[in-house]
Amino acid sequence: MHKLFTLSIHNIMKMEGGNNLWKKELLLKLVLVAMGVVNTVHGHGTRVGFYSRTCPGVESIVTSTVESHVRSDPTLAASILRLHFHDCFVRGCDASVLIAGSATERTAPPNVNLRGYEVIDDAKDKLEALCPGVVSCADILALAARDSVVLSGGRSWKVPTGRKDGRVSIGSETSSLPGPNDTVSVQKRKFRDKGLNTIDLVVLAGGHTIGTSACQFFADRIYNPNGTTDPSIDPSFVPFLRQICPQNQPTKRVALDTHSQFKFDTSYFANLKRGRGVLRSDQALWTDPSTRPFVQKYLATAPFNYQFGNSMVKMGNIGVKQGDEGEIRNKCSAIN
């Protein structure tokens, strides 16, 4: 790595044409990549501090906005985190999930219950007043997701920024999103298609340590026509779920991390080990031998918190749009 870095500098200095400023800028980018400040996934780059000169108050404004909303409604923390996840898995992290209108991602079945749009809109309005036309909705969403985790007791991480907002949102493309009944092999494929690995899959699923699910997404695990229940569920957990989710009441909601839905911790993984994962896709992470070792590893708080930040940065760089590939929307719910 050292030899490659040295050779790259040597080659840049030997380049003919251009001026010294151009060479200095190229050298700076090379140094940032070597230091890990610039993160590249799928050939696109973002960097920490992208707005340090153009809108230095961006992070404090997003943080204070998210904090205000989450203090009033703690359930929004999980909603904002989920909003970012659902954005990145369709067309990359380009805020396409925020675009309103018929047949958009926002109206597709996997997204009809998404919440938190008003938080992003609020932050955008404040930033437009301070730095008009500078900060993308995609970056606001990435920052807000981090702040939601921190407000729930999780560890912070540095969020690379520099994304542009997408101009396209197609509801039918949401089939790429992981589903509540996906097997581990299907989940792995969907994550692999986005440049994410098995560690990312297990760690990011750990985001379910906050938030809830509608009963309709797991009712077949606790109510079966033949009277049986999903064998991977702890039998003593079934009465608890049935009490919260009576039959034929699909819209009622239950915490994905029982007794800890507002705290970002590792009890989600402890519940999987006990057979108390609510969604079939979650519990499968314990029953499948290829993912169980990672569930066991992230029962410990420090490794989980550290890797969660890393995997969020990695996910946050999926399909990043830059330059003419995107725009800075004036309003997050509509293209310019």
Side-chain angles (χ1 to χ4, degrees), residues 225-243:
N226 59 13
T228 62
T229 57
D230 186 331
S232 65
I233 292 184
D234 172 10
S236 67
F237 190 43
V238 174
F240 172 81
L241 292 176
R242 286 179 172 174
Q243 183 178 11

Side-chain angles (χ1 to χ4, degrees), residues 30-310:
L30 179 64
V31 170
L32 289 173
V33 171
M35 292 173 62
V37 176
V38 173
N39 299 273
T40 52
V41 175
H42 292 183
H44 295 283
T46 55
R47 62 183 172 87
V48 173
F50 181 84
Y51 299 107
S52 59
R53 292 185 178 181
T54 55
C55 192
V58 58
E59 294 212 23
S60 61
I61 289 174
V62 173
T63 298
S64 63
T65 303
V66 173
E67 183 173 13
S68 174
H69 284 270
V70 170
R71 295 296 183 213
S72 298
D73 181 1
T75 65
L76 283 172
S79 298
I80 295 167
L81 179 60
R82 185 182 178 207
L83 200 57
H84 181 45
F85 184 93
H86 279 232
D87 179 44
C88 290
F89 263 73
V90 184
R91 291 191 165 264
C93 306
D94 65 349
S96 55
V97 74
L98 304 180
I99 298 174
S102 61
T104 60
E105 293 172 35
R106 190 164 171 167
T107 64
N111 292 339
V112 291
N113 291 321
L114 290 180
R115 300 169 60 241
Y117 298 104
E118 71 279 13
V119 183
I120 309 305
D121 290 340
D122 190 9
K124 177 64 171 175
D125 288 344
K126 292 174 181 175
L127 288 166
E128 282 299 301
L130 182 68
C131 317
V134 173
V135 182
S136 69
C137 300
D139 280 342
I140 294 171
L141 187 49
L143 291 167
R146 186 269 314 273
D147 295 337
S148 295
V149 169
V150 174
L151 287 167
S152 303
R155 174 182 171 179
S156 185
W157 65 89
K158 291 184 177 180
V159 178
T161 46
R163 303 164 185 81
K164 286 286 187 72
D165 297 321
R167 300 186 182 96
V168 177
S169 184
I170 302 172
S172 60
E173 294 182 345
T174 57
S175 59
S176 61
L177 283 164
N181 291 309
D182 284 351
T183 62
V184 167
S185 62
V186 170
Q187 292 181 72
K188 282 182 177 179
R189 175 179 56 78
K190 289 181 177 180
F191 273 69
R192 186 169 57 247
D193 288 346
K194 303 301 177 183
L196 303 175
N197 59 31
T198 304
I199 291 176
D200 301 317
L201 161 60
V202 175
V203 167
L204 292 174
H208 284 169
T209 184
I210 54 176
T212 62
S213 169
C215 297
Q216 62 185 319
F217 296 120
F218 62 89
D220 64 320
R221 300 186 71 209
I222 58 174
Y223 295 109
N224 231 315
N226 59 13
T228 62
T229 57
D230 186 331
S232 65
I233 292 184
D234 172 10
S236 67
F237 190 43
V238 174
F240 172 81
L241 292 176
R242 286 179 172 174
Q243 183 178 11
I244 299 174
C245 297
Q247 273 188 295
N248 303 317
Q249 295 192 37
T251 59
K252 285 206 162 211
R253 304 191 70 83
V254 63
L256 289 167
D257 187 358
T258 308
H259 306 310
S260 182
Q261 74 178 80
F262 299 116
K263 186 177 180 182
F264 199 90
D265 55 22
T266 61
S267 62
Y268 162 82
F269 295 111
N271 282 331
L272 298 188
K273 185 177 180 180
R274 297 170 60 199
R276 294 191 166 216
V278 174
L279 301 179
R280 182 176 278 107
S281 57
D282 283 346
Q283 190 58 51
L285 298 176
W286 175 257
T287 57
D288 191 293
S290 69
T291 47
R292 181 182 292 186
F294 298 113
V295 174
Q296 291 175 313
K297 178 179 179 178
Y298 297 122
L299 285 166
T301 301
F304 172 57
N305 281 340
Y306 175 78
Q307 186 57 48
F308 190 83
N310 288 346

